[in-house]
Amino acid sequence: MKIPALLLALLAGVGVTAPAAAAAPRDCGAPPGLRHALDQLTGRHRLAGAAVEVADPECGRWTYAAGQADLRTGRPMSAQDRLRIGSITKTFTAAAVLQLADRGRLSLDESVDHYLPGLVRDNGYDGRRITVRQLLQHTSGLPDHSDSLAGADIDWLRHHRFTPRELVKRALELPPPKGPWHYSTTNYILAGLVIEKVTGHSAETEISRRITKPLKLRDTYWPGNSEHIRGRHSRSYFTTERDGTTERVDGTEWNTSAGGVGGALISTPRDVNKFFAALLNGRLLSGPRLAEMRSTVPGDPDRLGPDGRYGLGLITSPLSCGGQWTGHTGSVRGGHNNLAAVAPDGRQVTLAINESPTTDASTTALIAAVDTALCANRASAPGISARVPRTPPEAGWRRTAGHPEAAPAPAGMPRRSRP
């Protein structure tokens, strides 16, 4: 079964495309329309559960959840639940690679073969002609090992323990992709091996030491080969066909080593928002290096949408109210799907659902919910009307403490993504 990708943007951007609207007063009510958008996801589109955290540099944080975290017990969905964040992991990995480049430990323009001699030399692929920068930007010309697993038996896939080199080998057996940009988790598996080569530690250890621990992301961790999620978490669900019958399957217990440092992290909406705020505010990288990260190229319209662009682990996509969001999407075969995005004025949203969408309508509704969160109560760019009018705060929103970390950065999204 073809599982629709999560949303219409991932991210990357070189600057705010809409003029700053600092003169306009910020309406600090909960983003109007967003509660209804989440209720639609779990009602009209029949997804199990949806949760969101919105963080605003002037107004603080809000959380809202709809539907169920556990269909068996009926436990409500919560924005505090842990979940698998899929390809949002790639932004963490890219940040660690760029930090090492900042410190002179590696060069983005050095070849992959320089760090991993002979590993990428098969079936016409040659690591001597691929740079580390191209890995992070998905312009390496390498296929995605995930494609070799698309038809795999689900029960085998969810329990199999993959190694990074096994995943690279799988990718090199595939035919080359078409076009100059091709989204490939294999690129990030190789980036992780480069981190290991230059530091002497596993990529997971380095990313934890450089990113998650300094930022005190206490709900973010690597599961390794464990199939379980520690602590309070939402279950996850996906739809499949067995014996000609379509059924909803619980995919919570899953070995995500097939994603590795390109898709295996477990986190929460709060931690993801804190990470993007720190990253885009320059707390993790130097100014020039962050600018490199945000320098984008056109992506595949089928995956990122017609105006989606990709940087070094970042996606950008236009907003209805002007400018673009910067962030990333993430999904896993077991059912968890996420989108993290930052608007030009620093407002952030991380939206999570615990069931893979199976229709274009539900995917479109996810994208629209993110746009609503980022555009509500915002002054629009000249000539562009904001789609969401100002209205009083909605009941059901939980407002939390002020949000000093929120990042003043642009944002963007992709249409179709994989783990």
Side-chain angles (χ1 to χ4, degrees):
M1 180 192 69
K2 184 177 180 180
I3 301 176
L6 179 54
L7 305 146
L8 182 122
L10 287 164
L11 71 87
V14 189
V16 178
T17 59
R26 180 70 60 83
D27 182 342
C28 282
L34 187 52
R35 178 189 179 191
H36 176 71
L38 264 66
D39 288 341
Q40 286 284 295
L41 290 173
T42 58
R44 178 182 177 185
H45 298 289
R46 304 175 66 85
L47 298 177
V52 66
E53 183 191 80
V54 179
D56 190 283
E58 295 181 20
C59 302
R61 299 176 184 270
W62 295 267
T63 62
Y64 181 74
Q68 298 178 346
D70 188 330
L71 294 176
R72 183 179 61 84
T73 66
R75 179 169 63 86
M77 193 75 168
S78 170
Q80 282 73 47
D81 286 349
R82 290 175 176 171
L83 75 160
R84 303 186 192 279
I85 63 171
S87 286
I88 293 175
T89 304
K90 290 179 172 67
T91 313
F92 285 75
T93 300
V97 171
L98 288 160
Q99 234 187 54
L100 289 166
D102 250 343
R103 288 153 178 73
R105 303 285 298 277
L106 60 81
S107 169
L108 297 180
D109 297 312
E110 186 59 84
S111 73
V112 171
D113 197 76
H114 175 81
Y115 299 107
L116 306 170
L119 181 61
V120 182
R121 288 197 207 175
D122 195 13
N123 198 22
Y125 301 110
D126 190 345
R128 292 170 295 187
R129 298 197 296 265
I130 299 170
T131 66
V132 175
R133 185 187 304 276
Q134 290 173 322
L135 294 179
L136 300 183
Q137 200 166 52
H138 295 305
T139 54
S140 68
L142 292 174
D144 189 345
H145 67 266
S146 301
D147 292 338
S148 74
L149 302 171
D153 177 77
I154 290 296
D155 291 328
W156 172 81
L157 183 60
R158 70 191 299 169
H159 300 303
H160 188 77
R161 298 184 175 189
F162 293 94
T163 67
R165 289 175 182 267
E166 177 185 356
L167 296 173
V168 172
K169 184 176 184 297
R170 279 182 165 272
L172 298 184
E173 293 170 350
L174 296 171
K178 298 178 181 179
W181 188 90
H182 181 74
Y183 189 83
S184 170
T185 296
T186 307
N187 287 323
Y188 278 76
I189 299 300
L190 285 164
L193 290 171
V194 171
I195 292 175
E196 180 178 340
K197 178 68 174 182
V198 301
T199 66
H201 305 121
S202 72
E204 290 86 350
T205 296
E206 283 296 313
I207 294 166
S208 297
R209 185 174 75 84
R210 295 173 176 277
I211 310 294
T212 61
K213 289 181 180 177
L215 296 180
K216 296 182 171 58
L217 306 182
R218 296 185 176 89
D219 288 309
T220 302
Y221 74 95
W222 298 101
N225 280 310
S226 173
E227 298 179 2
H228 307 291
I229 302 176
R230 302 197 301 255
R232 174 174 167 152
H233 60 276
S234 61
R235 307 295 296 178
S236 63
Y237 305 93
F238 66 97
T239 302
T240 189
E241 289 189 9
R242 291 186 179 181
D243 300 324
T245 302
T246 299
E247 62 177 325
R248 177 188 265 164
V249 178
D250 187 318
T252 311
E253 277 70 44
W254 202 291
N255 184 314
T256 53
S257 55
V261 295
L265 270 178
I266 290 168
S267 190
T268 61
R270 167 65 63 88
D271 273 8
V272 170
N273 274 343
K274 288 175 66 177
F275 164 67
F276 276 102
L279 175 65
L280 297 176
N281 265 329
R283 291 176 55 194
L284 298 177
L285 301 173
S286 67
R289 199 64 70 182
L290 180 58
E292 286 185 86
M293 189 178 196
R294 296 178 59 151
S295 178
T296 61
V297 297
D300 180 355
D302 288 338
R303 185 175 289 272
L304 303 188
D307 298 307
R309 298 178 66 89
Y310 204 90
L312 305 183
L314 288 177
I315 299 166
T316 59
S317 188
L319 287 164
S320 67
C321 51
Q324 57 188 2
W325 63 257
T326 298
H328 215 285
T329 60
S331 63
V332 295
R333 288 283 289 273
H336 280 139
N337 284 253
N338 315 258
L339 176 79
V342 186
D345 62 0
R347 180 182 292 179
Q348 298 179 258
V349 60
T350 294
L351 187 153
I353 58 173
N354 65 338
E355 181 172 3
S356 295
T358 57
T359 66
D360 287 342
S362 57
T363 301
T364 299
L366 283 167
I367 299 165
V370 170
D371 189 85
T372 296
L374 295 178
C375 284
N377 301 337
R378 269 188 63 196
S380 61
I384 301 177
S385 298
R387 187 168 55 84
V388 183
R390 295 190 179 195
T391 60
E394 298 179 80
W397 280 91
R398 175 183 175 187
R399 184 174 180 182
T400 52
H403 179 51
E405 309 103 326
M413 291 183 193
R415 174 169 295 173
R416 305 202 176 271
S417 62
R418 293 184 182 173

